[in-house]
Amino acid sequence: MKRTERVNNILKNFDKKSYRKDLIHWFKEEQRILPWRENQDPYRVWVSEIMLQQTRVDTVIPYFNHFMDKFPTPDALAQADEQEVLKAWEGLGYYSRARNLQNAVREVVSEYDGVVPADPEELGSLKGVGPYTRGAILSIAYDIPDPAVDGNVMRVLSRILRVEDDISKQSARKLFEELVKELISEEDPSSFNQGLMELGALVCTPKTPSCMLCPVQEHCRAFDEGVETELPVKASKKKQKKSPYLLLLVQNEKGEVLIEQRPDTGLLASLWQYPMVPLEDVGQEAVENWFYGEYGLKVKVGESVKRIKHVFSHLIWEMEVIKVTVKEGTLDHERATFIAPENMEDFPFPVSHQKAHPYINR
DNA sequence: AAGACGGGGAG
DNA sequence: CTCCCAGTCTT
């Protein structure tokens, strides 16, 4: 069956007008007060939507407030140093979001005179602005009807309309976008899209939805048939690969600590860390030799002070934190440097390595 | 289409 | 501990 045909089929016998009205009314009454809802400034909406990708509201709030203080306008962000932006993003995760956002804001400043484009093509072509974020900015900042389908929306609509497609598939997202195009309010697309997401966050939650409090319960096919907790359908993810490392706390005779900047692409790009020995390639007994080859320093491996397990979405680092002292030699490494412990806070560190901070001698 | 890309909260 | 959450880019 073609997608448009399916959309028509699914929406047959569904009271769109009444559903829209109930959803929007509820959103206007019950929406949370959030910093990015203070006004419709497209730049604020944009920053908030990028931060909210894969990240819960409570986590984002302090980051958003600090970010807007530090980079209040597209100009301010465009002119900032990338390390400064990463520092403001430190701990939020998915750091390419920060890099892409600054890249895109620089394009807005140079190509669009600093005005976030309201044209779907132009907006969607900016780095880091995918189908969801494009729809969110268009509807919330510019009152333009465009679907903003995130995980909340797929969960809510899969239940309301009893759609059993696997939401981890790209085809499911496209189906929900087509459905939203038919359902969305032309008068108030902002409240419609936000209402859908707010409902997913506050009422139509993943594990135990509060159907008794739901403002659109009478429209919900899953509730009607008692299958709300079976939806949405999602394929289970496979488990992460474990990688063992030694994390080296190297301090010289002045008490300075050795840190290095990660590569500019890939995992935790451009963030800083303590040297890590990949135990899959280097044997325990060969560490001092390996270290001399990599950093040009003769060192003495000391005591083990902590085990850190850090889980990413696709892999697991199992790190043993080891204290190391420098015996002799000169540091010879492109991206590594010794710094005083009190200056550590100037550098963006991933949370995995922040866990080792307390073990620095100071 | 599948994998890379973080971190936090609930139970 | 284990499980759950989930947009965009790259390959």
Side-chain angles (χ1 to χ4, degrees):
Chain A
M1 195 170 3
K2 291 210 331 247
R3 190 145 58 218
T4 51
E5 200 180 328
R6 266 202 80 192
V7 167
N8 290 334
N9 205 352
I10 291 168
L11 294 179
K12 200 167 57 182
N13 300 324
F14 187 78
D15 189 347
K16 296 189 246 182
K17 245 177 80 175
S18 171
Y19 172 73
R20 273 201 287 269
K21 180 171 155 295
D22 291 344
L23 180 68
I24 289 173
H25 178 257
W26 172 81
F27 176 71
K28 292 189 169 204
E29 294 291 319
E30 303 293 340
Q31 63 172 300
R32 291 167 291 180
I33 294 169
L34 298 170
W36 46 89
R37 288 179 176 165
E38 279 172 17
N39 59 47
Q40 277 183 290
D41 177 0
Y43 171 68
R44 287 173 67 90
V45 172
W46 184 8
V47 170
S48 72
E49 289 300 339
I50 299 298
M51 286 188 172
L52 287 164
Q53 289 169 12
Q54 325 299 98
T55 313
R56 38 179 22 94
V57 164
D58 289 343
T59 303
V60 167
I61 290 173
Y63 282 92
F64 178 81
N65 288 330
H66 176 244
F67 199 92
M68 294 311 305
D69 277 349
K70 209 155 168 26
F71 314 111
T73 62
D75 263 333
L77 181 56
Q79 288 166 23
D81 187 89
E82 186 188 272
Q83 280 288 302
E84 209 183 343
V85 178
L86 283 174
K87 186 65 193 176
W89 211 270
E90 182 186 54
L92 205 48
Y94 288 113
Y95 299 93
S96 66
R97 292 183 296 174
R99 180 189 305 270
N100 288 338
L101 175 62
Q102 190 184 28
N103 178 312
V105 162
R106 283 176 172 164
E107 186 174 344
V108 166
V109 167
S110 65
E111 302 299 316
Y112 303 107
D113 201 25
V115 179
V116 180
D119 175 79
E121 303 278 322
E122 294 176 344
L123 185 58
S125 74
L126 296 171
K127 266 274 187 282
V129 180
Y132 163 75
T133 306
R134 189 194 69 182
I137 295 172
L138 288 176
S139 60
I140 298 171
Y142 291 118
D143 297 302
I144 294 170
D146 198 50
V149 174
D150 69 351
N152 286 309
V153 172
M154 289 197 282
R155 182 172 61 255
V156 170
L157 287 182
S158 71
R159 287 171 176 166
I160 299 282
L161 300 170
R162 224 246 231 228
V163 171
E164 300 185 347
D165 295 35
D166 178 355
I167 64 164
S168 63
K169 301 285 190 202
Q170 206 173 45
S171 57
R173 201 206 75 230
K174 288 177 184 278
L175 173 65
F176 286 113
E177 283 174 354
E178 295 303 315
L179 288 165
V180 170
K181 282 180 189 170
E182 297 299 316
L183 292 170
I184 197 168
S185 162
E186 304 285 324
E187 294 75 39
D188 194 352
S190 172
S191 295
F192 182 88
N193 276 347
Q194 291 190 82
L196 229 32
M197 294 187 271
E198 196 80 343
L199 191 66
L202 299 182
V203 177
C204 196
T205 51
K207 304 287 272 292
T208 50
S210 306
C211 298
M212 295 323 224
L213 303 174
C214 182
V216 291
Q217 187 208 80
E218 63 176 292
H219 303 278
C220 187
R221 290 174 182 160
F223 178 78
D224 187 43
E225 295 161 38
V227 296
E228 65 274 7
T229 55
E230 319 289 311
L231 292 167
V233 173
K234 188 168 42 153
S236 57
K237 34 77 176 107
K238 51 182 131 182
K239 65 169 194 238
Q240 306 96 324
K241 178 190 189 302
K242 289 181 182 171
S243 302
Y245 289 95
L246 257 32
L247 186 158
L248 304 183
L249 265 18
V250 183
Q251 290 188 275
N252 62 18
E253 63 291 340
K254 287 186 284 188
E256 296 168 328
V257 188
L258 185 60
I259 64 172
E260 65 188 10
Q261 189 174 28
R262 293 182 58 85
D264 294 325
T265 57
L267 184 65
L268 304 169
S270 305
L271 271 68
W272 291 75
Q273 66 174 20
Y274 302 105
M276 290 168 79
V277 186
L279 289 179
E280 280 179 332
D281 309 327
V282 184
Q284 285 273 4
E285 72 295 338
V287 169
E288 290 177 354
N289 226 314
W290 175 87
F291 193 87
Y292 181 69
E294 291 286 318
Y295 299 88
L297 251 27
K298 305 263 194 201
V299 295
K300 170 101 174 65
V301 171
E303 56 167 339
S304 167
V305 293
K306 173 77 173 172
R307 288 189 62 85
I308 295 173
K309 179 179 174 184
H310 193 83
V311 180
F312 298 91
S313 44
H314 60 302
L315 60 91
I316 298 173
W317 279 354
E318 294 181 318
M319 302 186 294
E320 178 149 19
V321 182
I322 310 278
K323 292 201 177 188
V324 173
T325 49
V326 178
K327 285 165 60 187
E328 59 174 294
T330 315
L331 176 63
D332 178 25
H333 190 287
E334 283 267 322
R335 299 173 70 89
T337 182
F338 277 104
I339 59 157
E342 59 267 30
N343 293 332
M344 297 272 297
E345 59 201 59
D346 298 338
F347 299 82
F349 276 77
V351 169
S352 48
H353 280 245
Q354 289 175 26
K355 293 173 184 170
H357 284 165
Y359 302 94
I360 293 290
N361 293 334
R362 42 187 316 161

